[in-house]
Amino acid sequence: MDPQLLRSIWPVFAAETREQIQAIGSKVLGLEQPASAREPDLLPSLKRVVHSLKGSAASLGLDDIERIVHAIEDGLSHVGVEEPISRGAVEAMLRGLSAIENALNRGDAGEQPVVDGVAALLKALGHEEQAAHVPEDAATTGPLGEDGLKALAALEAALGRLVSPKVEDRAGAVRAAVDQAHALRHSAEAIQADQVAALAEAAALGFTRMEEGGDAAGQAASEVAGALVDLRMALGVVDDAGAVHEPAPSKPAPAPAAKPAARAAASAPEGRAGTVDRAVRVSVKTLDSLALQVEHLVSGRSQQGRRSEGFRSLTDQAHEVLLHLERAASQLAMSGGGPALEPLRTGVGLMRTMQKRLLEQAKEAHRDGEQQSLVAQVIRDDLRDLRMVPASQVLEPLRRTVRETASRLGKEVTLELGGTDVRLDRRIVDALKDPLVHLVRNAIDHGLEMPEARKAVGKPETGRLAVRVEARGTRIGVIVEDDGAGLDPMRVRATAVRRGLMTQEAADKLSDAQAARLIFQPGFSTRDEVTSTSGRGVGLDVVLATAQRLQGSADVEFTPGKGTRFIVDLPLTLAAALGLLVRTGTAVTAIPSDTVKRVLRLDADDVGTVAGRVVARLDGEQLTFLSLAESIGLPRMPLALESGRRQTAVLLSLGEERVLYAIDEVVGQQELVVRSLGKHLRDVTHLAGAAVLDDGRVVPVLNAPELLRAAKPDTRTAAGESKMPRILVCDDSLTTRFAMKSLLEIAGYPVVTASDGEEAWQVLERVHCHLVVSDWQMPRLDGVGLARRMKGHPMFRRTPIILVTSLDSNEDRAAGLDAGADGYLVKREVERGKLLELVRQLLPGSA
């Protein structure tokens, strides 16, 4: 594995592995108990943890750890459920776990996480097939036997003498050490021990550089120490317990400890010798809760700032009152005074003292508020960094997806990953996993041709698939690109008509770009048959829905015959962001400030029409000009331009997209914590969520990328396209399920499916369906139970449900209708057209 990637992943791997080691050790000890006293799932759960650890180590290229864990896994495969494990096996496994933990400690300190005495540990674990390549005598004294051990001890002793500042005849000591190293090299070459020979030569070169003394000698000593440590491992100098022999040097061992700094710093995991930076695994739920509290703290600080402004206003008013009182006292004194003069002067003095204290309190409150703001900002920045992870965490797993999908489809695919070092919000990384899998599978299945087809058109037989993450200031772009045949707009139009997404007349009016975006419609698939990869009608709509939920957008571009590119635009982080508050009519909305490039005023001469659309001239460019109120579904308000006044507008910009929106005024700017609007408003694409202002008002937060996309001329002309209602088909029989699915799809209805009532309920919670067709008898939750649950839920009680069953008695029909079913069919009536007839009765608008 790439050292830089290993360094970034190491803290998480080390923390997780320590937990797994602890669990494995505890469970292995539990195997010594009689079967009756064990936990019921002890052995299977132990095997799962061991297998998981082996996979993690293998994925990071940690061969030593993988070999030890693999040997433990093999040993567990011979353990019976009813009989206790042998004491020797337990001890060997625990010894292996201790060796792995020692390797983790080395990794934490900046060294290579190698395991000492792998050969002996494997032998103790009975893993002969991996230890067989090491001769029996090499497991104790190495490939050169006792001669190798003596040579190593002599070299270590020579190093111990040479690191001393007072060395008699340094040149002679160096020559002796070099001769010993050369002798070891010649012995190793004689038996073809190439690794030992290379390390001996490296030690000889290092000793030669120590002859001059000074700083150069210290650096050379570090290199020699590293070479000797590696030489010890190459010689296999281990005892029966699996520990490396440490021949005592003639002086206290000096330089070997310098290896981490001198040799391993460039390639080992993060950390430094003596300063261990350990990672702590924290629940995502805990992080979310903590982040929410910090955002509330920041929001509360804004409210405190408003109150401070009010407090200062009161002190100013108190000053005005004091001036009036002083003026009244002066006038009273000039008129001869009287009994009221003295009390008035006393009141003026008290008022002046109170004013002074008020000013001091206001200054202290302001100073404290500024300090709290600084602390809150630092905490929020630290939390934001804590949530940021490299994009490699979501990109690297795609390698397995590509390999499995390509193999299943009989295609050759090369995957190129880019932008793996770009850091993203962990919540965005988690949310991107499924959409990226959909995009990659779609590219392989629909985009890339079969090898023979590619060869026929002059392309390499191996298709190219590129997935990359691009940093775009405060936003990111996720691009999935293939060099396949590109989208076929004609086929997409035909599929949209066949599936009832629009009429043929509406489809003919679509531009190619509009037709391409139809693939994001729910239920859309150009596959006529259902396979393990395609044809389910669920996939790319998930990509668009996820992007919109994350305050982003998704789009597609293609070049016929050359390939397709999907672009998902997302914010860099989902934490609090600066928002511009604007008013349109009486409604106040928030727009993320990172998409607002300018706020300006337009004259009547700046606005006109081109090809039937309203445009505004700005910096020599004609930009689409729209009313924000109309774009987000509010009643149309007269523009200022209509009454001869200048019009306030905001310029939204993202990438190459630039659109001007008319507003009434800018209310202000504020840090916003965006909250989800839940399932009920998930289809309102222009809304990213809602936020609470520091004065307590709740305002909608607009999805700027979706506003920009919807402003495209070719997108807005397609607004009148018809949509057929979606139907959920639920049956535990695969044949029946897809028979009803095909029947409904031929009639133009988009269909999603489920294998039982529980899965159907999960689909309903995730996907908006207008009608449900369900079998009666199913595992987990049957059709009657599903009907009762739907009719008892406020969100689904108005959704019609049809029960389809082989039960044809009057009692069964009555029971189904009593459960809330809106229709009841016997399965033999489905093929006679009764199902479509009943669906059209319950969904009259779709006929």
Side-chain angles (χ1 to χ4, degrees), residues 212-291:
E212 298 177 0
D215 294 338
Q219 184 177 356
S222 296
E223 296 178 359
V224 172
L228 294 184
V229 172
D230 291 344
L231 187 58
R232 174 177 293 277
M233 299 302 298
L235 287 169
V237 187
V238 296
D239 57 24
D240 292 338
V244 177
H245 278 295
E246 296 288 346
S250 58
K251 295 185 182 288
K259 182 201 172 190
R263 292 176 57 83
S267 60
E270 285 183 339
R272 294 292 183 269
T275 304
V276 178
D277 184 12
R278 294 191 182 278
V280 178
R281 298 181 70 197
V282 181
S283 158
V284 173
K285 184 177 180 181
T286 302
L287 267 182
D288 288 341
S289 175
L290 185 57

Side-chain angles (χ1 to χ4, degrees), residues 46 129 158 174 187 211 233 354 516 542 666 701 707 768:
L46 171 58
E129 61 273 18
V174 166
S187 299
E211 184 173 351
M233 299 302 298
M354 185 176 69
V542 174
V666 174
V701 180
L707 284 176
H768 179 60

Side-chain angles (χ1 to χ4, degrees), residues 746-766:
I746 290 173
Y749 295 98
V751 178
V752 292
T753 62
S755 60
D756 59 38
E758 285 292 348
E759 185 179 350
W761 185 257
Q762 295 171 8
V763 172
L764 284 172
E765 291 184 321
R766 189 175 65 251

Side-chain angles (χ1 to χ4, degrees), residues 27 114 173 190 424 639 709 714 731 753:
K27 292 177 183 294
V114 295
L424 315 176
L639 297 179
R709 187 206 63 78
D714 59 350
D731 198 300
T753 62

Side-chain angles (χ1 to χ4, degrees), residues 686-719:
H686 65 263
L687 288 183
V692 180
L693 302 183
D694 54 19
D695 60 2
R697 286 182 295 168
V698 177
V699 298
V701 180
L702 302 182
N703 186 336
E706 187 60 28
L707 284 176
L708 287 165
R709 187 206 63 78
K712 292 180 180 179
D714 59 350
T715 303
R716 290 185 289 114
T717 56

Side-chain angles (χ1 to χ4, degrees), residues 341-413:
L341 180 58
E342 194 59 32
L344 183 57
R345 284 176 173 172
T346 302
V348 169
L350 292 174
M351 191 67 180
R352 188 176 292 112
T353 302
M354 185 176 69
Q355 182 201 24
K356 182 178 180 181
R357 294 183 62 184
L358 280 173
L359 288 172
E360 291 174 352
Q361 291 291 330
K363 290 179 180 178
E364 290 181 6
H366 178 73
R367 187 166 53 250
D368 292 344
E370 291 299 316
Q371 181 65 26
Q372 290 178 13
S373 293
L374 178 61
V375 172
Q377 186 64 42
V378 170
I379 294 175
R380 185 171 64 175
D381 290 344
D382 286 346
L383 268 173
R384 188 174 297 179
D385 290 341
L386 194 62
R387 299 198 69 102
M388 303 298 277
V389 297
S392 58
Q393 292 196 10
V394 72
L395 296 181
E396 287 293 337
L398 294 177
R399 297 187 186 278
R400 181 177 177 184
T401 301
V402 169
R403 186 173 61 185
E404 292 177 349
T405 306
S407 176
R408 185 167 59 248
L409 297 175
K411 298 181 179 181
E412 296 292 333
V413 182

Side-chain angles (χ1 to χ4, degrees), residues 493-567:
R493 291 187 183 92
T495 301
V497 174
R498 187 176 72 251
R499 294 187 178 276
L501 297 178
M502 60 176 54
T503 63
Q504 184 64 56
E505 182 181 1
D508 292 339
K509 295 180 180 179
L510 295 179
S511 66
D512 287 350
Q514 287 177 285
R517 282 194 59 83
L518 290 177
I519 63 177
F520 291 112
Q521 291 287 333
F524 188 92
S525 176
T526 56
R527 279 278 186 266
D528 296 325
E529 73 282 355
V530 177
T531 69
S532 59
T533 308
S534 302
R536 289 175 169 78
V538 177
L540 295 181
D541 58 324
V542 174
V543 177
L544 180 60
T546 301
Q548 292 171 344
R549 178 166 52 85
L550 296 176
Q551 306 167 40
S553 64
D555 208 346
V556 59
E557 301 172 354
F558 67 96
T559 303
K562 293 185 178 181
T564 307
R565 179 190 295 113
F566 288 89
I567 307 102

